[in-house]
Amino acid sequence: MKRAILLTSLLTVAALMGPGNAVAATMGNTQPGPADPAVQLEVGDPSIATKTERGKIDIMGIWAHPDDDAGFTTPCGVWHDLYGVRCGIIMATRGEGGSNSVGPEAGPDLGVRRENEDRTSHVRSGSVDIFNLDRVDFFYNTSAALTAEVWDAEETLRRTVRIIRETQPEILVGSTPSLAAGHGNHQYAQGRMIWEAAAAAADANMFPEQLSGLGAVETWQVKKILAGGQTTGTGGTLAPNCNTGFTPAATNPFTVVGTWTGYDSPYVWADGNVQGQQAGTAKTWAQVGREGGRAHPTQARVMEKGLTNPSCQRYGVSQSIVPMQPNNSAASANDDAVLYGAVVADPGGMPLGSEFSIAVDEYYEAAGEPFEVTVAARSGDGDLGGGTVSLVVPAGWQVSEPVEIDGIGDADASDATFTVTPAADAVAGVYKLAASFDGDVTAYNDTRIALVAPVEGRFERWGNMAEYEQWTRDHDAYVGGRSNAVAQMGAGETVTVPVEVTNRTDGTESGEVALALPAGFVADAASKSFSGLAPGDTVTVEFVVTHTDPADAGSRTVTFTATTTSGAGASTENETVYLVPTVVIPQLASAPTVDGTADGVYVGDPVDVGTRWEGAACATDGVDCGDGSLAKLGWYDDALYAQIRVTDDVASAAATPDRCFGHWLVDSVELLLDPRGDSVDTSTTFKLGMFPFTDDTDGTNGNGADGPCWSRDADNHQGFSTGPLAETVEGGLNAEGVEVAVEVARQADGSYADGGYDLEVKVPLAALPAAVGPTSAVPTGDAEQNDVDPSYFGLNVTPYDSDTQNFIGQTRTAWSAFGSQQSEPYRWGHAYLDGYVPPADRSTQAAAPIIPDTALQGVQSPQTVAQSATRGGTISGVQPSEALSVTDVKIQQKNVRVSYRSEEAGTVRVFLWKGDTTFIPVWTSSCVGDIYGFDACSPSDGAAPPWAPDMSGRLLGSFEQDVAAGKGSLAVPIDASIRSALADDARILVSYAEAATVASGDGVNAWSFPIESRLPGRG
């Protein structure tokens, strides 16, 4: 993967200086006076990352993208202000792959801007420690496994663990690791990483290189995890100690903590504020947090100009190894209950640093079957007296007697083991088990188990569902629940439906599985038996199911139900089946002329691509994105052809060729192709977004004046596919041989002259990631004639409609019309290429995806470099290095010269910085004295201030140079105005990365040199 070397928007006026590159960027927001050549500028003693002791973090959040953590601003402000808690944030990416609503920045340049938005959003909450992992923000997907692959899971974990070991947080905060988290980046970063990193940080066998040598850290045990726990319940109060009277719902097995957000903050309402609040009075933390959470203008957020009502911000405790307060205790109502046992001592009296934990031998247990629970206690400070350990279980269950222990020491833990037997008639579900200690001190903790049928039948999981459930087992992280049973089949097809039967009893079991199907489906048998299933074993019972109508339009879900019965009882599970349409793509007699219009070469019935699956309803079917949108399909001479008629009334905004991406924002058609029909995610597919027109009056894109453009998106090789920009795509051209033509006429009033437009496309099948087919016999709806589990070609055609001129999509239609089909190929239709056989030498395995590495590296970010240098800790969790020493820094009339001695080849980067490094305001404000940019005193306030090329005037100049081992120097050019600006509140930031840093994850350092000015003869 390529790495971005320079920040392009900051180097638009770069001058080549020997082996280095530099830019002198003038101040954007200040007007420095004339430079006084008599003023001497000198640098003071630097802060150096490898010499600065890293400060402790109390509560650390982990997220995927800036703005995912918007809800963290408010509680961190309260915790910091009231209790002295320090929050920190680990951010996997800088959101470089996202959109930009206020500027031209993309890729690494957007990463610089979005990093600042995140820092600014949190600065008033006291959260100035934001650690970026430099992972690439790639296309939207719903696969944590794909994210782990692209991000290099081992290196990502390594960096996260180092940051945790450096900062020693007591509590980790994130969200659920479940598939319900949507984006695979979210599932992985703020879901899975919480659990993986907490375990790895405490394990001396994980990344032992971090435990010795330069920058050595120690293993660290996180005490609590707030990620995935439920907060449902009743009661509570809208006042301080807001959890007073709160009771978790009967279906909520988690202990819930809450913090009142209505406390006064140190920040006050500005004179003349648009909200009409009394000037000088305190804003609540709810208000401050809301303002901070909106500080992401690139993501179409707007300045908060309203009033935010306080609330009780609650978290479910997903895991705790320290004592806490149960929800029925008086202390659980307190707004600092979230901190108990971890950041402050639990009110029960166990010293801070004590452990009181509860563990179950297996998470999934069966009704009527006994299992063991172990409670462990250890003092954090000296010996504690003895007492009674009790275990509370659900009503009707049996549990062994309380255990008396003689005392609790501060070395080895004291254990108490219990035997629990669920009621034989207990229903399946998740249940709480609560442990308590009663002696000179008291303690409480709880955990959960999932009760399942003693003999349970479940539909076999596959793809991301199977991978998710394996991850939960490997990491003992069950808070996200099980995956749903999901499958797909095409109209008229015959498929195998496997049901896995597991025996959790202590005896051998026999029984049967019955399969109930909706109308239109038939099975080879209504039920099938199993026998001799030993304790702990699993057997698979397979049914063969046929859908009887190959002409069914699909685009709907149906439910299959499996009921498993045995001597131990019965279990039932439903499976959601996506019924997708099927089509035969005929071989054509000759190649169509690709001119946008359908000719007589196309044979066979067209497919309807006008069924809405997302967005606003069409204004009138047949007029606006509705009936009449059709696609004619065929293949000839190793190429697929499609002619698509799109019904539409109003033409959308026209993208320029350099914005020929994000086709969902304008009128367009996407062609989605899965060559093998078995892709788990879109990284092995071909997805082509086609724009019927552009804003290109000179025809620079090569397709005529205002002609079409096309690009691949979120697939095996995404990027521009037409025009000069296609030559810049990493890995070479990504759509060789693809042809697109349109017939479109836009009238002066913005409507389409012909009630829509026609688009025609040719896709050479050699351009796909793998060989297509040969596909199976065409499904007939008859099991006797069908191929079981057929081979098909995944296909979808999805028109996008927008009637706006501001690049906002409105309606999405398709042939196979399901939500999330952008990222889930199993929701696409099934195509059968009549008579097609691929060339014998074409691979049936998709090539590894080419995903552009647009991730900004921490050594390229002046704010990250400043944080590392001044607050300690390495850049991006990378191992530190002292291979390079900065031996001298001098500020001369025309340049800043940095001298160095290096033991290793690497890259040095220098940033000349003006002002505070922790934040740059993201909104304009006319309020007097508003240094943060969050107050509005005029309706016109809240615009995004100028950013490029100098980060709103903060970046006066930058330089980077590759250096060899030995001595040397480099110079950053400055002019008189920059030299004058350096005279006040400025610093020189330097980063170094060994040449192998990107590959190995080793070797960085950071410096911050304060600039001092004086007149000759004065101190």
Side-chain angles (χ1 to χ4, degrees), residues 170 195 198 202 220-225 317-324 340-342 350 353-359 375-378 443-446:
E170 309 292 345
W195 300 88
W220 180 252
Q221 178 66 66
V222 171
K223 311 306 188 301
K224 282 185 182 180
I225 295 176
V317 180
S318 300
Q319 186 180 74
S320 176
I321 64 168
V322 296
M324 57 184 183
Y340 290 164
M350 291 192 79
S354 300
E355 296 179 8
F356 187 72
S357 61
I358 178 171
V375 179
R378 185 188 60 80
Y444 170 89
N445 207 335
D446 55 45

Side-chain angles (χ1 to χ4, degrees), residues 107-128:
D109 296 322
L110 180 57
V112 173
R113 189 165 190 173
R114 292 195 67 184
E115 176 186 338
N116 175 68
E117 287 177 350
D118 206 38
R119 291 185 180 278
T120 302
S121 73
H122 288 279
V123 68
R124 291 184 299 170
S125 298
S127 306
V128 295

